[in-house]
Amino acid sequence: MQQKEIQQLPPQATPQQMKTIIFIENLDQGISEDYLYRKFKEVGEIQSLKITKDKTTQKSKGQAFITFAHPDSAEEARKKFNNQVFIRNIIRVKPYFNYHIADKKANIFINNLPEDADILELEQEFSRFGTVLSVDIHRDVQGKQLNYGYVQFEKKEDADNLIKRIANHPITHKGKLLKLEQFKAQSERKVESSSIYLRAFAKPLPQKYWEQDKVVRAIEYAWSLIIKDYLSRQGDQVKDCFVKIDQHTRQPWTMISFETSEQAKYNLDICEQQRKHPCINSGAHHALELIIKHGPPVNSDASEAFTIAEITQAFKEMAQDHNDTFKGESENFFYNMVYSKHLNPDDRLILVQNIKDDVSKDVIQEFLSRFGKVIRLTIRKTKNPKFQVQQCFVHYQTLEDSKRARSEIYDENNEEISKKKKEIFKDGHVMMNILLSKTMRKEFKEVKKQSQSIFQNPGGRQLLQPPFGGPLPMMPPQMPFPPGQGMRQMPIRGGRGPFPNIRNQVARPIPINKQIIQPPPKVVQTQSYTQEFSDYTLVQSRMEEFLKIPVVDQRNVLGNLLFQKVFDVVKDKESTKKVVGMLIDPSQFEIGDILNMFEDSQELQTYIDDGLSLIKDETQK
């Protein structure tokens, strides 16, 4: 290929230019630009071609852009090469458009897509409503299509018309009714939710009915009618109600959208108080009456999904069965507001740590169930079995159950619970807290690194202390501490890491106790304890005994053990002494904070780097 044929895309491509460009994903790293050129020139003249590469390694990112001379060639390339195998990978060929200049209000979120959804067919369908710039179906890490995606129109008016159109004329694709709504930015989605999610709200569907597709479809449809009928009679305005029977548990779940968040919150409170919802307390007779009243739903080809005659016998049998699914009785009923799971923690989901390695799931479930209804419990090993052998996730049915568990488990006056804790947890110490979402855990880790600042330099000169920044969210402590000796809350501080930049700062007393801060203690080895706890594994295995020795000796032991870890990085004995002196300073770090340094090598490395930087700055003054 000639060099001129390999060039960058136009930085600001017009809508007409974008029609000539295709975007390719999931390329094998062994594919070259010459290889792509030979393949794609079959469909038309190529003006430019570029495989995107990592700036550091210069390896292919598995993506490429090709610009053709004519839009028809780009369209033909998509039809011919999309989902074809190139060397080892199935490639995906999409139209290109500049997401940054696209109108976000002209973007539509698509849900409930079938597994075999076809992008080209969807484009053709949506093109009836306006100019479509792109249709994208999201995929998982294995490349499998998920059930949702987006369609980007050129104009907001076209997107608005589509949303209005589906209110009376729904769109189906390969037999599935598509759920469409206008795209919302993350900041908008964080607004109070107006939808609730109810899972496993009825007993499992008997196998004989599960094997009848039309009966299953009728039951799902009947549930949606029952729920909407009940809520409307209560004065609630229901925008949508989607019901599906889970293929694994054979239990129904539903997503109910209300007009206002207040209505959603009110109905969620009912679930909290009653451990069920009246809207799911019905019967097969009533379900059949509603189906007859409203008529069966229709398929994408306008035919009926089932006839009344085809499902009547099954519904009559269910009405005579004491396990009638429409009674809405369930032992594992679960409910929640529909929030983004990455941003909002569920207060009923608790992380329990420090479980002995020989404790079975049945034993821990029996213990945790005494505080409330447990609807799910999962035990898993940690990545660092030397530190915490086992941990479990327990999901209580109500918030009150969760609160009771977190309160009563820590009640040292209850002898029976204290006895069980010694049987189940290492040294009898329980570590439990609400499980934060992944995003919140990441945010907390960054805040924690900034909060654990060291305010004194190796020479003992006091540094400027920024004002208190408010309480921080607390995560479960990383080691079992006696009452009053967990991780402390520290003020949020600026700077690039745990050690603040001390240039141009004026020393002043800390306003809290107005006492002169003494230089950090030196690493003094208390002979008996340093020999007794000569290795960190001994501290771990004998944690209860370690925490009973005087705090000053605990610091000396940990300082002695930290010395070698720091020296391996610093390679200088004097600098190592200064850094370790900072790390065991009682005015800056609790014992729990120091113990965490042994488990989080990245955190310790950050402290070492910033400590050395602080020492260097002081030396240069």
Side-chain angles (χ1 to χ4, degrees), residues 268-378:
L268 199 76
D269 289 342
I270 293 176
C271 298
E272 178 73 30
Q273 296 162 7
Q274 302 184 16
R275 299 178 185 270
K276 61 185 299 184
H277 196 291
C279 74
I280 55 179
N281 185 14
S282 185
H285 274 312
H286 183 221
L288 184 58
E289 290 174 357
L290 289 174
I291 292 177
I292 295 173
K293 176 182 177 181
H294 294 276
V298 296
N299 295 318
S300 58
D301 58 359
S303 63
E304 290 187 337
F306 54 82
T307 64
I308 301 296
E310 288 175 319
I311 56 99
T312 298
Q313 183 60 34
F315 274 65
K316 288 183 176 180
E317 290 177 2
M318 276 188 282
Q320 298 174 357
D321 191 339
H322 70 280
N323 287 325
D324 180 0
T325 185
F326 290 103
K327 289 181 179 179
E329 298 173 354
S330 174
E331 288 295 316
N332 57 335
F333 172 57
F334 171 82
Y335 57 92
N336 212 343
M337 292 288 280
V338 182
Y339 287 119
S340 168
K341 63 182 180 180
H342 301 294
L343 298 173
N344 298 275
D346 183 352
D347 288 353
R348 294 165 297 159
L349 180 57
I350 306 298
L351 172 63
V352 183
Q353 298 172 297
N354 208 41
I355 305 170
K356 290 182 179 179
D357 58 348
D358 58 347
V359 175
S360 67
K361 179 179 179 180
D362 291 338
V363 171
I364 188 67
Q365 177 142 0
E366 180 184 0
F367 173 70
L368 295 174
S369 294
R370 67 173 59 199
F371 307 106
K373 176 67 176 177
V374 174
I375 60 174
R376 184 190 304 163
L377 186 142
T378 305

Side-chain angles (χ1 to χ4, degrees), residues 565-582:
K565 294 176 74 70
V566 176
F567 182 78
D568 290 341
V569 177
V570 176
K571 306 298 184 184
D572 178 77
K573 188 173 292 186
E574 289 303 315
S575 297
T576 299
K577 287 180 181 179
K578 293 177 181 180
V579 172
V580 173
M582 299 176 193

Side-chain angles (χ1 to χ4, degrees), residues 123-381:
E123 280 183 16
Q124 186 176 4
E125 174 68 27
F126 290 126
S127 293
R128 297 191 293 116
F129 304 96
T131 302
V132 174
L133 297 180
S134 173
V135 173
D136 182 45
I137 300 176
H138 280 221
R139 296 173 179 265
D140 60 20
V141 292
Q142 281 79 36
K144 181 181 178 182
Q145 283 193 169
L146 299 174
N147 68 340
Y148 67 94
Y150 298 89
V151 53
Q152 176 72 50
F153 285 95
E154 183 178 1
K155 299 178 182 178
K156 177 181 179 298
E157 293 77 15
D158 296 335
D160 292 339
N161 290 335
L162 173 60
I163 294 298
K164 292 177 183 178
R165 173 77 166 70
I166 63 171
N168 298 316
H169 303 282
I171 295 177
T172 58
H173 181 61
K174 296 192 174 182
K176 296 200 72 173
L177 182 66
L178 302 185
K179 301 288 184 178
L180 306 177
E181 61 181 79
Q182 286 186 318
F183 168 79
K184 291 182 180 179
Q186 189 177 78
S187 58
E188 296 176 292
R189 295 196 295 268
K190 289 166 67 175
V191 176
E192 286 287 334
S193 174
S194 60
S195 301
I196 62 174
Y197 169 59
L198 311 181
R199 190 191 72 210
F201 59 79
K203 291 181 179 179
L205 193 66
Q207 184 67 36
K208 62 179 180 179
Y209 301 130
W210 179 247
E211 295 171 352
Q212 303 177 50
D213 292 340
K214 292 190 175 182
V215 172
V216 172
R217 179 72 179 89
I219 292 173
E220 293 173 342
Y221 177 61
W223 268 123
S224 67
L225 295 177
I226 287 171
I227 293 171
K228 286 189 285 188
D229 178 69
Y230 174 87
L231 293 173
S232 62
R233 285 188 283 108
Q234 302 304 309
D236 290 319
Q237 295 178 314
V238 179
K239 293 172 61 177
D240 192 20
C241 176
F242 180 77
V243 180
K244 198 72 178 174
I245 295 178
D246 186 272
Q247 62 177 342
H248 301 294
T249 65
R250 302 203 306 273
Q251 290 180 282
W253 59 268
T254 180
M255 198 83 75
I256 309 171
S257 298
F258 297 88
E259 286 291 341
T260 66
S261 58
E262 289 76 14
Q263 291 176 332
K265 182 65 170 61
Y266 171 77
N267 283 279
L268 199 76
D269 289 342
I270 293 176
C271 298
E272 178 73 30
Q273 296 162 7
Q274 302 184 16
R275 299 178 185 270
K276 61 185 299 184
H277 196 291
C279 74
I280 55 179
N281 185 14
S282 185
H285 274 312
H286 183 221
L288 184 58
E289 290 174 357
L290 289 174
I291 292 177
I292 295 173
K293 176 182 177 181
H294 294 276
V298 296
N299 295 318
S300 58
D301 58 359
S303 63
E304 290 187 337
F306 54 82
T307 64
I308 301 296
E310 288 175 319
I311 56 99
T312 298
Q313 183 60 34
F315 274 65
K316 288 183 176 180
E317 290 177 2
M318 276 188 282
Q320 298 174 357
D321 191 339
H322 70 280
N323 287 325
D324 180 0
T325 185
F326 290 103
K327 289 181 179 179
E329 298 173 354
S330 174
E331 288 295 316
N332 57 335
F333 172 57
F334 171 82
Y335 57 92
N336 212 343
M337 292 288 280
V338 182
Y339 287 119
S340 168
K341 63 182 180 180
H342 301 294
L343 298 173
N344 298 275
D346 183 352
D347 288 353
R348 294 165 297 159
L349 180 57
I350 306 298
L351 172 63
V352 183
Q353 298 172 297
N354 208 41
I355 305 170
K356 290 182 179 179
D357 58 348
D358 58 347
V359 175
S360 67
K361 179 179 179 180
D362 291 338
V363 171
I364 188 67
Q365 177 142 0
E366 180 184 0
F367 173 70
L368 295 174
S369 294
R370 67 173 59 199
F371 307 106
K373 176 67 176 177
V374 174
I375 60 174
R376 184 190 304 163
L377 186 142
T378 305
I379 286 190
R380 57 194 291 188
K381 295 283 185 179

Side-chain angles (χ1 to χ4, degrees), residues 69-91:
H70 304 286
D72 291 345
S73 300
E75 182 67 18
E76 180 63 25
R78 291 172 56 209
K79 291 180 179 179
K80 181 174 182 178
F81 295 111
N82 187 42
N83 292 325
Q84 297 300 307
V85 177
F86 275 32
I87 301 184
R88 289 171 296 184
N89 294 359
I90 299 176
I91 68 169

Side-chain angles (χ1 to χ4, degrees), residues 78 94 133 135 247 423 484-485 507 528 597:
R78 291 172 56 209
K94 302 179 180 180
L133 297 180
V135 173
Q247 62 177 342
E423 296 174 2
Q485 198 172 333
S528 58
M597 298 175 195

